[in-house]
C-alpha cells in the first residue's frame, strides 16, 4: 500500500474535467454481459474497482481490452457463471454481476459478500428481487447459488430504495420474459446511466430516476458504444477541497443537477458557485460558514452519503458548528478519528457528527479507513499546515483516478510515495 505526502496551506486554482463515474461504470460493465458481441465503454476511469470488475469479466470468459479511457468488452465467449471468492473479496459491490450472469446463463454463483468498512452489507433485497423473477437460491458453503431456467417478468417492490438491488433487478429483468415493474426503486443518476446504456443496446426500459422502473424483457440486445457520465462524488470531493483551502475551481462537462444538494450546502457555507451549461465554477475564501440546517444523508435526490466525508472535512475550520446525520450506512465515520488527529473538533454520537470549527489543522500521519474517508483526509490535509502523510491509500485508488496528479494541476503540493 502506497502513501500520499501532502504539504497543505496553499490556495488552489485551476480547471478540471471530472473522471467517469465509478458507480455508473460498474453496473454498466455487468450489463455488457447481456450483450453478445463487442461493446465499447468510453470515459472509463482508471480505478482499482474498475480493474476488479474487468478481472471478473475476463474470468467469466469475456474478452476485455483497455486503451486509455476506452474499454472494449466482448461477452460472446462468456462460459462461466461464477465469481470466485478472491475476486468477490477484491470488491464487495461485485454482487452487481449477479443479475446479469443469471439473466445470461440461467445460473450464477457468488461468494457471499462479507461486511466492509462501512458496516454490514446485506444483499437480502437483491436476492428477493431475483426470487420474484423466478430464480431459486440456495446457500452452499458460503456461496449463493442462483438458478433460473427462464426468468419471468414480475412486479418487484423494494422495501428500501437500494441502489444495487435496483440495478440487479434491472439487469435480471432485461432478459426475463414479460414485463417487470420495479417500485420503490432507487433514483440515483447512476441508475439513469445504466438505463441509458441498456436502451442504447436494445432493451425496452423506462422510468429510471423515478421510483418506478418498467422493463419489457426479452428484447434483442446488440453491441453499443456508450460514454459513462461524469462522477458526481469525485466532483464533490474536489469542490470540497477548494472550499477548504480557498481559491477557484472550474469543473468542465459535469451535470450539476446530479449533486445539487452538495452545491447548495457549499453555497450555504459561503462558497460562490456559478453554473454555465455543463461547467461549474466555485470560488472560496477558505474561511467557511457553518452549514445549517443539519446535513442529512438520504437516498437520491437527498444529500449523497458518499459526499458526507469530504463535506465534513471541508467544514472543520468553519466559523461555528455544523451537524451531520448519516442515515444510510452504520459505520461511515471511521475517518473522523483520523481528522481529529489533525486537530479537528468532531463529536460522534451514533449517526450524528457535530463538527465545531477550529482555527487550524496541523499535518500529521494518518491512515485511510475506506474510500471516501480516505478522500476526506486528502481534503483536510490540503487545508492543514505542514506535512500530512496518508497511508493505506489503496482505499482511495478504488474510486479516484490519480488523485495526486489531478490535485497537482490545481497547485497542490501532493506526491504519491511507494511504501
Ligand atoms: C451504492 O452502494 C454505491 N456503490 C455506494 O457507493 C453508495 O454509498 C450507495 O449505493 C448509496 O448511494 C456502488 O454503486 C458500487 P445500497 P450499494 O444498496 O448499492 C442497505 C462509494 O463510496 N441494504 O443503496 O451497496 C445497505 O446495507 C460507495 O462509491 C440492505 O439492507 O448501496 C445500506 O445500509 C460506498 N439490503 C443501504 O441499504 C440490501 O439488499 C443502502 O445500500 C441492499 C442494501
Amino acid at each position: 500500500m502506497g502513501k500520499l505526502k501532502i504539504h497543505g496551506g496553499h490556495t488552489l486554482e485551476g480547471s478540471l474535467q471530472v473522471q467517469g463515474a465509478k458507480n455508473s461504470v460498474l453496473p454498466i460493465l455487468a450489463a455488457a454481459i447481456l450483450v453478445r458481441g463487442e461493446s465499447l465503454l468510453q470515459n472509463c476511469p482508471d480505478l482499482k474497482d474498475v480493474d476488479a470488475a474487468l478481472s471478473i469479466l475476463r474470468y467469466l470468459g469475456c474478452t476485455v481490452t483497455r486503451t486509455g479511457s476506452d474499454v472494449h468488452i466482448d461477452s460472446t465467449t462468456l462460459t462461466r457463471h461464477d465469481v470466485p471468492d478472491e475476486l468477490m473479496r477484491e470488491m464487495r459491490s461485485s454482487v452487481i454481476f449477479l443479475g446479469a450472469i443469471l439473466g445470461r446463463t440461467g445460473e450464477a454463483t457468488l461468494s457471499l459478500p462479507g461486511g466492509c468498512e462501512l458496516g454490514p452489507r446485506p444483499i437480502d433485497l437483491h436476492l428477493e428481487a431475483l426470487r420474484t423473477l423466478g430464480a431459486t437460491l440456495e446457500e452452499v458453503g458460503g456461496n449463493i447459488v442462483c438458478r433460473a431456467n427462464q426468468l419471468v417478468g414480475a412486479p418487484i417492490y423494494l422495501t428500501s430504495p437500494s441502489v444495487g438491488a435496483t440495478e440487479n433487478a434491472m439487469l435480471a429483468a432485461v432478459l426475463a420474459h414479460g414485463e417487470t415493474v420495479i417500485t420503490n426503486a432507487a433514483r440515483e443518476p447512476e441508475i439513469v446511466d445504466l438505463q441509458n446504456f441498456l436502451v442504447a443496446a436494445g432493451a425496452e426500459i423506462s422510468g429510471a430516476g423515478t421510483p418506478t422502473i418498467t422493463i419489457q424483457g426479452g428484447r434483442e440486445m446488440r453491441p453499443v458504444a456508450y460514454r459513462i457520465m461524469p462522477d458526481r462524488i469525485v466532483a464533490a470531493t474536489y469542490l470540497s477541497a477548494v472550499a477548504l483551502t480557498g481559491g477557484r475551481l472550474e469543473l468542465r462537462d459535469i451535470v450539476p443537477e446530479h449533486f445539487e444538494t452538495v452545491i447548495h450546502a457549499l453555497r450555504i457555507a459561503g462558497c460562490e458557485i456559478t453554473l454555465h451549461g455543463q461547467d461549474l465554477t466555485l470560488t472560496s475564501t477558505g474561511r467557511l460558514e457553518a452549514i445549517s440546517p443539519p446535513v442529512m444523508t438520504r437516498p437520491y435526490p437527498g444529500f449523497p452519503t458518499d459526499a458526507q466525508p469530504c463535506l465534513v472535512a471541508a467544514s472543520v475550520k468553519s466559523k461555528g458548528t455544523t451537524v451531520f446525520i448519516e442515515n444510510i450506512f452504520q459505520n461511515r465515520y471511521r475517518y473522523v478519528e483520523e481528522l481529529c488527529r489533525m486537530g479537528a473538533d468532531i463529536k460522534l454520537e451514533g449517526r450524528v457528527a457535530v463538527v465545531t470549527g477550529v482555527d487550524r489543522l496541523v499535518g500529521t500521519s494518518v491512515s485511510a479507513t475506506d474510500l471516501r474517508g480516505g478522500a476526506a483526509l486528502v481534503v483536510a490535509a490540503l487545508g492543514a499546515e505542514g506535512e500530512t502523510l496518508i497511508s493505506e491509500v489503496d482505499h482511495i485508488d478504488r474510486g479516484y483516478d490519480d488523485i495526486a496528479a489531478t490535485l497537482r494541476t490545481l497547485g497542490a503540493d501532493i506526491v504519491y510515495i511507494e511504501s
Side-chain angles (χ1 to χ4, degrees), residues 22-23 121-125 162-164 306 328-329 372:
K22 168 180 83 79
N23 292 347
R121 299 293 289 274
I123 59 169
D124 53 313
L125 299 174
S162 154
V163 171
D306 294 347
I328 306 295
F329 288 110
R372 306 304 176 184

Side-chain angles (χ1 to χ4, degrees), residues 311-392:
L311 193 68
V312 166
S315 303
V316 294
K317 294 202 293 185
S318 298
K319 291 176 271 186
T321 297
T322 300
V323 175
F324 291 80
I325 301 172
E326 172 55 51
N327 293 306
I328 306 295
F329 288 110
Q330 284 180 9
N331 197 14
R332 190 142 224 187
Y333 289 128
R334 295 174 68 222
Y335 66 94
V336 166
E337 187 179 335
E338 299 298 301
L339 285 184
C340 292
R341 288 168 47 79
M342 300 171 72
D345 177 355
I346 306 173
K347 300 286 185 297
L348 293 179
E349 184 65 46
R351 292 178 176 267
V352 179
V354 179
V355 182
T356 303
V358 295
D359 290 333
R360 56 198 286 261
L361 285 180
V362 180
T364 185
S365 293
V366 291
S367 183
T369 53
D370 57 81
L371 165 55
R372 306 304 176 184
L377 297 181
V378 173
V379 169
L382 293 167
E385 297 164 13
E387 178 177 288
T388 298
L389 207 51
I390 303 176
S391 56
E392 309 294 322

